[in-house]
Amino acid sequence: MVSVLISPDKFKGSLSADEAARALERGLLEAAPRIQVDRLALSDGGEGSVAAACAGRFSPEKITVTGPNGRSVTAEVAVHGRIVLIEAAAICGLAMLPGGRKMPLTATSRGIGQALRYALAGGADTIVLALGGVATTDGGAGMLQSLGAVLAEEDGTPIGPGGAKFVLRPEDLSVVVASNLNADILSDLGGALAGSLGLAASANLNPERRFPSMFEPVHGSAPDIAGQGLANPIGAVGSAALMLEHFGLPDQAARLNKAIEATTGAGILTRDVGGTATTDDVVKALIDALEA
């Protein structure tokens, strides 16, 4: 007997993952009634994660938390025994913005922290946090604050909601230290808001040095400029500086960083940050600065 496993994600805006699976199952059985069909609803970690879990063994529970604009919203979490799945998109996702109006400077992740507290108060020993599709750019600051963390400036002034600091005072953020997951979110958003994804260097460090560390520029794909020699190399060079620092070569790292400052200060910039230079132009300028 032929067996078929149907495992779709949601059809956004029309069908949940389970509804899509059931529709596909009906079509298959109409065409081939003797086959064995099994369904397994999936999610990519964004919208629909709770629905996909509840199509299996989980059950939904309604909670009231803070939405992205600071007002109360009702959301669902998925519960199975002492396992709780929290879907961030159902709490502070783009769909939760009133009228769909984006709020990049003030949208808060506070509600996620409240959902975590709900799960912990209920005796959960395993919490799965699906982080896709959020409307916030605060890097989880609101979540941490709702769990009791105090985030403040050097003078004690509390850090406000949202990702405004990345836009209003990016010069204050020379280094950001975070877990791998939070750093992925924070550095992608921070790099883009500060000017360009090509500017951001990153390091995924193993402080105990038991495992390899990874150094890379933070960037997404750019098929529109692929092969044209227009990519910004600053993030890659900055990552090399972080690597040298990690290897115990601070003087060499400082030389690279000074070369970056000299090159960008001279206005030799790729077009993603308002310049006209090519990748080769920037690299040549960096080499000249190092040899000066």
Side-chain angles (χ1 to χ4, degrees):
M1 176 182 291
V2 175
S3 295
V4 177
L5 173 63
I6 302 175
S7 299
D9 195 352
K10 64 187 175 300
F11 284 31
K12 190 169 182 177
S14 56
L15 297 174
S16 69
D18 187 54
E19 290 170 339
R22 291 178 183 275
L24 290 167
E25 179 186 36
R26 288 195 299 271
L28 282 172
L29 291 176
E30 286 178 9
R34 297 182 180 227
I35 65 174
Q36 172 68 39
V37 178
D38 293 303
R39 301 187 312 274
L40 178 64
L42 296 180
S43 171
D44 62 359
E47 296 174 36
S49 295
V50 165
C54 291
R57 298 180 180 179
F58 284 72
S59 300
E61 291 186 9
K62 291 187 181 296
I63 60 173
T64 300
V65 293
T66 300
N69 66 339
R71 297 182 181 178
S72 294
V73 298
T74 299
E76 286 188 344
V77 297
V79 180
H80 176 62
R82 298 178 70 183
I83 305 173
V84 177
L85 184 149
I86 298 169
E87 179 186 319
I91 296 170
C92 56
L94 293 167
M96 306 304 293
L97 292 169
R101 183 178 179 182
K102 295 180 176 60
M103 305 169 60
L105 299 185
T106 58
T108 177
S109 60
R110 182 173 292 274
I112 299 175
Q114 294 167 344
L116 289 170
R117 287 167 53 190
Y118 171 87
L120 293 170
D125 61 13
T126 302
I127 299 175
V128 179
L129 181 55
L131 275 174
V134 297
T136 63
T137 60
D138 67 355
M143 175 187 71
L144 292 173
Q145 288 169 326
S146 70
L147 290 171
V150 177
L151 304 179
E153 304 282 1
E154 289 184 11
D155 61 2
T157 304
I159 293 175
K165 188 172 180 66
F166 275 111
V167 176
L168 301 178
R169 297 181 63 183
E171 67 276 8
D172 289 353
L173 302 171
S174 57
V175 177
V176 177
V177 179
S179 68
N180 184 34
L181 176 61
N182 285 336
D184 277 349
I185 300 167
L186 199 60
S187 56
D188 282 8
L189 295 170
L193 290 172
S196 168
L197 285 178
L199 292 174
S202 74
N204 188 356
L205 299 174
N206 178 242
E208 297 83 11
R209 299 176 183 262
R210 293 176 55 206
F211 304 101
S213 295
M214 180 173 67
F215 305 85
E216 61 176 343
V218 177
H219 57 74
S221 61
D224 57 318
I225 61 170
Q228 300 178 40
L230 299 175
N232 191 338
I234 294 296
V237 178
S239 298
L242 292 174
M243 182 176 65
L244 290 170
E245 185 80 32
H246 185 68
F247 287 166
L249 300 169
D251 293 340
Q252 289 82 349
R255 285 187 62 203
L256 266 186
N257 285 325
K258 287 180 180 178
I260 291 173
E261 292 174 4
T263 299
T264 55
I268 304 172
L269 306 169
T270 47
R271 71 180 191 182
D272 57 310
V273 283
T276 58
T278 65
T279 307
D280 287 344
D281 293 334
V282 176
V283 171
K284 182 179 183 304
L286 288 168
I287 293 172
D288 290 343
L290 285 169
E291 293 177 343

